Amino acid sequence: MEVNQDVSVREQIFHDWVRECIICSLLFSTLYLLSYIVITKFKKHADFATVDVEDAAVNRIALWMCTFTLAVSVGAVLLLPFSIISNEVLLSVPHNYYIQWLNGSLIHGLWNLVFLFSNLSLVFLMPFAYLFTEAEGFAGSKKGVMSRVYETTVVLLLLTLLVFGIVWVASAIFDDDSAGRESLYVCTPFGLSRMFSVTGNLLVKPRLLENLEEHLSCTAFEEAAISRKISTKASCWLNLNMEALQKRLLAIQSHRITLEMRRRASPWQRNLVYPLAMLLLLALTGITVLIVCVNVLELLIDEAAMPKGIQSSQLGKVSFSVFGSFGAAVQVILIFYLMASSVVGFYSSPLFIQLLPQKQNTPMTKIIGNCVSLLILSSALPVFSRTLGITRFDLLGDFGRFNWLGNFYLILLYNMMFAGLATLCLVKKFTWAVQAELIRAFGLDRLPLSVKKIRSQGKA
């Protein structure tokens, strides 16, 4: 009898393992397909339509690696929201036959796979892809893809040894806990303020007191004047910078198209959608800052507020929000909002703005750089959200094994800095934005430099 029970238990474990493998494979295949569609929208087709068959093959292999990395990045973003939603579903319908596949073992396995693939992509795949696209093969060796593979492997091995040596020396000099500080986000507070500008550029603003027809006429007149200068090359005794005039013309044309779109927009689109979008962003930002402030108080009072990792997950036992399913839904929305803010803040920083991909015109090396950047931001999202107290879902697997998670002063300092910087950026943004809108509405932007300077600062 005991032997039969052991056999049945082993069969059940095997069946569960096969089921989890199938589910994970289906999820990753879906993410891989979506990532491939996204990358093909930005890749430069000239890199793949080249006459050199070898270069085209190298770019395709690098493209597959980038697609794998982007799929892992999307999986890392969805990891925490999927875990929170799964817990609420199991709480609502714990005995439903059709959700028996959704359990703690599956969630724990997903966390481990995302952690494994994130490190694999960051440490091996992306460096290999970059070196592979730059490799030419060893001197004197036979040309071909394998020659590039050999050179890339040797260079990557030497680079890995060098990096490990530097890390070993650094860890011997400095405390281990200090290394984890670089894992924290630095782009999110800036991105929270930039979200208003980005959303404002995508939507049609209300007219307020602005005379749109007059503004459009002035823009058209200025466009015609610059076009005439470029076509006739003006007078022979004037040294005109044609490149600067071309850039100015493109900027004016873009501004004219924006004004024409605002003129064609319906009243409800101008006067309802834009204010609601701004109020929604303000509410999300305010709730985020409020939660972080509450988390600071809890850190000072209760040690349980510290982020921690667990090795086994008990889903469907208790909700991770005091407001139940509604609170869990808010947590999921805030997690996605933080990720979007981090991406916007990253690409808005002067250091990385040149990395922004362009549709159908992004070279392979820039695609690799974007995939690495998104992988770093997305992989840190679960730890980032738990550190700020956005959710109480404890970190699973290797995500909870960072040494600095137990450093009380570091966690407290980061929460206070995040709340302070986010509030400062938000107040500054709204202050300059209100000034700029009032100046534009009353037509003061056509006055000399001092007022224009305020207007330009409002757009920053």
Side-chain angles (χ1 to χ4, degrees), residues 32-67:
Y32 189 91
L33 180 60
L34 294 176
S35 301
Y36 182 80
I37 294 175
V38 171
I39 290 182
T40 52
K41 295 293 183 181
F42 291 97
K43 71 177 183 179
K44 192 174 184 179
H45 290 289
D47 293 341
F48 299 87
T50 179
V51 179
D52 194 336
V53 179
E54 181 181 334
D55 288 340
V58 169
N59 288 328
R60 281 196 299 270
I61 295 175
L63 178 67
W64 297 337
M65 293 182 178
C66 290
T67 305

Side-chain angles (χ1 to χ4, degrees), residues 309-341:
I310 57 176
Q311 298 306 313
S312 61
S313 57
Q314 298 294 330
L315 293 182
K317 302 297 182 182
V318 62
S319 178
F320 293 102
S321 174
V322 294
F323 299 103
S325 299
F326 175 76
V330 173
Q331 290 179 4
V332 171
I333 294 174
L334 290 179
I335 290 171
F336 285 126
Y337 180 58
L338 285 177
M339 183 62 196
S341 301

Side-chain angles (χ1 to χ4, degrees), residues 270-312:
R270 290 194 306 266
N271 303 321
L272 182 62
V273 175
Y274 180 81
L276 288 179
M278 291 296 106
L279 289 176
L280 178 61
L281 291 179
L282 181 61
L284 291 175
T285 306
I287 292 174
T288 302
V289 175
L290 179 62
I291 290 177
V292 176
C293 293
V294 172
N295 189 53
V296 170
L297 297 177
E298 291 183 351
L299 286 171
L300 297 173
I301 298 174
D302 189 4
E303 186 180 354
M306 287 287 293
K308 58 184 179 181
I310 57 176
Q311 298 306 313
S312 61

Side-chain angles (χ1 to χ4, degrees), residues 236-428:
C236 59
W237 60 82
L238 291 179
N239 185 17
L240 296 178
N241 189 342
M242 301 304 297
E243 184 178 356
L245 286 177
Q246 290 284 356
K247 291 182 179 179
R248 178 61 180 165
L249 179 61
L250 291 176
I252 293 176
Q253 289 175 346
S254 177
H255 185 55
R256 176 180 56 79
I257 293 174
T258 302
L259 291 176
E260 291 176 349
M261 291 177 59
R262 291 178 59 189
R263 183 175 63 178
R264 292 194 300 265
S266 60
W268 71 268
Q269 188 178 0
R270 290 194 306 266
N271 303 321
L272 182 62
V273 175
Y274 180 81
L276 288 179
M278 291 296 106
L279 289 176
L280 178 61
L281 291 179
L282 181 61
L284 291 175
T285 306
I287 292 174
T288 302
V289 175
L290 179 62
I291 290 177
V292 176
C293 293
V294 172
N295 189 53
V296 170
L297 297 177
E298 291 183 351
L299 286 171
L300 297 173
I301 298 174
D302 189 4
E303 186 180 354
M306 287 287 293
K308 58 184 179 181
I310 57 176
Q311 298 306 313
S312 61
S313 57
Q314 298 294 330
L315 293 182
K317 302 297 182 182
V318 62
S319 178
F320 293 102
S321 174
V322 294
F323 299 103
S325 299
F326 175 76
V330 173
Q331 290 179 4
V332 171
I333 294 174
L334 290 179
I335 290 171
F336 285 126
Y337 180 58
L338 285 177
M339 183 62 196
S341 301
S342 301
V343 173
V344 170
F346 176 81
Y347 285 112
S348 300
S349 61
L351 187 61
F352 301 105
I353 192 172
Q354 299 297 328
L355 196 61
L356 190 66
Q358 300 176 354
K359 189 175 181 180
Q360 306 293 339
N361 194 32
T362 307
M364 201 65 233
T365 52
K366 186 176 287 189
I367 290 178
I368 294 173
N370 280 276
C371 290
V372 172
S373 304
L374 294 176
L375 178 63
I376 295 175
L377 292 175
S378 60
S379 298
L381 182 64
V383 181
F384 174 64
S385 302
R386 182 63 183 91
T387 302
L388 293 179
I390 302 299
T391 180
R392 295 302 181 191
F393 193 96
D394 290 320
L395 303 171
L396 296 177
D398 293 326
F399 279 94
R401 292 180 179 176
F402 297 107
N403 294 331
W404 56 267
L405 287 175
N407 191 325
F408 169 77
Y409 297 102
L410 179 61
I411 300 299
L412 179 64
L413 178 62
Y414 182 70
N415 277 263
M416 295 175 63
M417 288 180 60
F418 180 90
L421 290 176
T423 304
L424 181 63
C425 292
L426 192 62
V427 171
K428 182 179 178 181

Side-chain angles (χ1 to χ4, degrees), residues 140-301:
S141 61
K142 184 179 178 180
K143 295 297 183 181
V145 176
M146 291 307 301
S147 178
R148 294 190 179 191
V149 171
Y150 296 148
E151 180 187 352
T152 304
T153 304
V154 172
V155 174
L156 183 60
L157 179 61
L158 295 176
L159 181 62
T160 303
L161 293 176
L162 177 62
V163 171
F164 272 113
I166 295 175
V167 171
W168 183 80
V169 173
S171 62
I173 298 176
F174 302 103
D175 186 18
D176 290 339
D177 289 343
S178 63
R181 302 182 185 182
E182 301 300 327
S183 302
L184 295 176
Y185 274 23
V186 294
C187 303
T188 309
F190 176 62
L192 289 175
S193 64
R194 283 288 301 166
M195 286 291 290
F196 292 89
S197 299
V198 173
T199 306
N201 293 333
L202 296 176
L203 299 177
V204 179
K205 296 181 180 180
R207 293 183 183 179
L208 296 179
L209 302 177
E210 179 186 16
N211 190 337
L212 190 59
E213 296 296 335
E214 179 183 354
H215 199 175
L216 188 59
S217 300
C218 294
T219 304
F221 178 78
E222 187 176 2
E223 180 184 357
I226 295 180
S227 299
R228 187 166 56 252
K229 285 183 180 180
I230 295 176
S231 59
T232 60
K233 295 187 179 179
S235 303
C236 59
W237 60 82
L238 291 179
N239 185 17
L240 296 178
N241 189 342
M242 301 304 297
E243 184 178 356
L245 286 177
Q246 290 284 356
K247 291 182 179 179
R248 178 61 180 165
L249 179 61
L250 291 176
I252 293 176
Q253 289 175 346
S254 177
H255 185 55
R256 176 180 56 79
I257 293 174
T258 302
L259 291 176
E260 291 176 349
M261 291 177 59
R262 291 178 59 189
R263 183 175 63 178
R264 292 194 300 265
S266 60
W268 71 268
Q269 188 178 0
R270 290 194 306 266
N271 303 321
L272 182 62
V273 175
Y274 180 81
L276 288 179
M278 291 296 106
L279 289 176
L280 178 61
L281 291 179
L282 181 61
L284 291 175
T285 306
I287 292 174
T288 302
V289 175
L290 179 62
I291 290 177
V292 176
C293 293
V294 172
N295 189 53
V296 170
L297 297 177
E298 291 183 351
L299 286 171
L300 297 173
I301 298 174

